[in-house]
C-alpha cells in the first residue's frame, strides 16, 4: 500500500490527538458538565417549561409562518438575555417577567389571540429576554458559558417542539377546546408564579 501526503497527515493528526487526550480530559469533562447543566436547566423549573410549551402551542394555533417564527424568535432573543446574565448585567423584575410570560402566553392560547405576526414575535421576544437572563445568571462556577448557553437554547427549542406537537390537535374541534383549557391552566399557573415572585 502506498502512503500519500494525506495518509501521513491523518496519521500524524490521529497520533497527536491520542497523545493529547489525557491532558484535555479534565477540560472536556467540565465542558460536558456545562452543556448538560444548560440542557437540564430549562426543564428544572415548571415556570420555564410552561412558558416554552405555550410558545409552541400558540404558534401551532396561529399556523404558518408563526408556527416556526415564534419558536425561532424565542431562543435567539433568549440567548441575548442569557448573555446579559452571564456578563452580570442586571435586569430588574426577572421573576415577574417570567411569571407574566406564563400569564400572557397562556391567555393568548386560551383565547386563540390572533395578533399581527410582528406583534406576536415582539411579545415572545420580550419575554425571552427574562427567561434568558435567568438562565445566564445561574451558570455554575467553572463551567463553560458557551456550552451551557448552547444547552439551554437546545432544551428551549425542544420544549417549543413539544408545544407544536401538542398543538397539532388544533385541527379538531375537541383539540381546540383542549388547547384553550391548557392555555388557561398555563395562565393560572403564571398567576401563582407572580404571587410567589412578589410575595
Amino acid at each position: 500500500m502506498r502512503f500519500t501526503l494525506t495518509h501521513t497527515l491523518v496519521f500524524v493528526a490521529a497520533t497527536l490527538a491520542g497523545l493529547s487526550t489525557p491532558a484535555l480530559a479534565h477540560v472536556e469533562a467540565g465542558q460536558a458538565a456545562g452543556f448538560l447543566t444548560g440542557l437540564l436547566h430549562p426543564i428544572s423549573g415548571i415556570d420555564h417549561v410552561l412558558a416554552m410549551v405555550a410558545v409552541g402551542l400558540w404558534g401551532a394555533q396561529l399556523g404558518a409562518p408563526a408556527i416556526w417564527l415564534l419558536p425561532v424568535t424565542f431562543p435567539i432573543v433568549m440567548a441575548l438575555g442569557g448573555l446579559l446574565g452571564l456578563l452580570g448585567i442586571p435586569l430588574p423584575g426577572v421573576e415577574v417577567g417570567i411569571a407574566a410570560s406564563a400569564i400572557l402566553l397562556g391567555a393568548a392560547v386560551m383565547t386563540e389571540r390572533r395578533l399581527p405576526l410582528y406583534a406576536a414575535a415582539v411579545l415572545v421576544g420580550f419575554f425571552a429576554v427574562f427567561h434568558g437572563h435567568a438562565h445566564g445568571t445561574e451558570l455554575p462556577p467553572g463551567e463553560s458559558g458557551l456550552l451551557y448557553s448552547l444547552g439551554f437554547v437546545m432544551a428551549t427549542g425542544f420544549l417549543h417542539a413539544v408545544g407544536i406537537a401538542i398543538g397539532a390537535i388544533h385541527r379538531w374541534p375537541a383539540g381546540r377546546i383542549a388547547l384553550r383549557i391548557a392555555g388557561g391552566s398555563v395562565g393560572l399557573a403564571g398567576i401563582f408564579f407572580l404571587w410567589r415572585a412578589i410575595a
Side-chain angles (χ1 to χ4, degrees):
M1 179 177 174
R2 207 166 58 119
F3 286 94
T4 64
L5 179 60
T6 304
H7 288 108
T8 305
L9 290 174
V10 168
F11 175 76
V12 169
T15 303
L16 290 174
L19 292 173
S20 65
T21 300
L24 295 176
H26 209 149
V27 175
E28 292 297 320
Q31 289 177 348
F35 176 75
L36 290 175
T37 302
L39 198 62
L40 294 174
H41 194 266
I43 60 174
S44 65
I46 190 68
D47 49 355
H48 292 291
V49 171
L50 291 178
M52 301 307 103
V53 172
V55 169
L57 293 176
W58 194 29
Q61 284 179 324
L62 296 175
I67 195 169
W68 59 264
L69 182 63
L70 299 186
V72 167
T73 299
F74 196 102
I76 290 172
V77 180
M78 185 185 68
L80 295 175
L83 180 61
L84 295 176
L86 287 170
L87 295 175
I89 298 171
L91 179 66
V94 170
E95 292 303 318
V96 171
I98 291 170
S101 73
I103 294 169
L104 292 180
L105 292 170
V109 173
M110 182 181 72
T111 61
E112 291 190 56
R113 176 67 62 193
R114 297 202 167 270
L115 295 178
L117 185 61
Y118 74 89
V122 166
L123 181 67
V124 163
F126 175 74
F127 290 131
V129 174
F130 294 102
H131 285 269
H133 193 276
H135 294 320
T137 56
E138 294 172 13
L139 170 69
E143 293 188 3
S144 167
L146 178 62
L147 291 177
Y148 172 78
S149 300
L150 182 62
F152 72 68
V153 167
M154 286 180 64
T156 296
F158 172 76
L159 291 170
H160 292 330
V162 168
I164 291 169
I166 294 170
I169 66 174
H170 185 258
R171 68 185 78 175
W172 300 292
R176 289 192 187 99
I177 294 169
L179 288 181
R180 286 181 165 218
I181 292 169
S185 300
V186 171
L188 287 174
I191 292 170
F192 169 73
F193 302 143
L194 182 60
W195 171 78
R196 193 175 61 181
I198 63 178

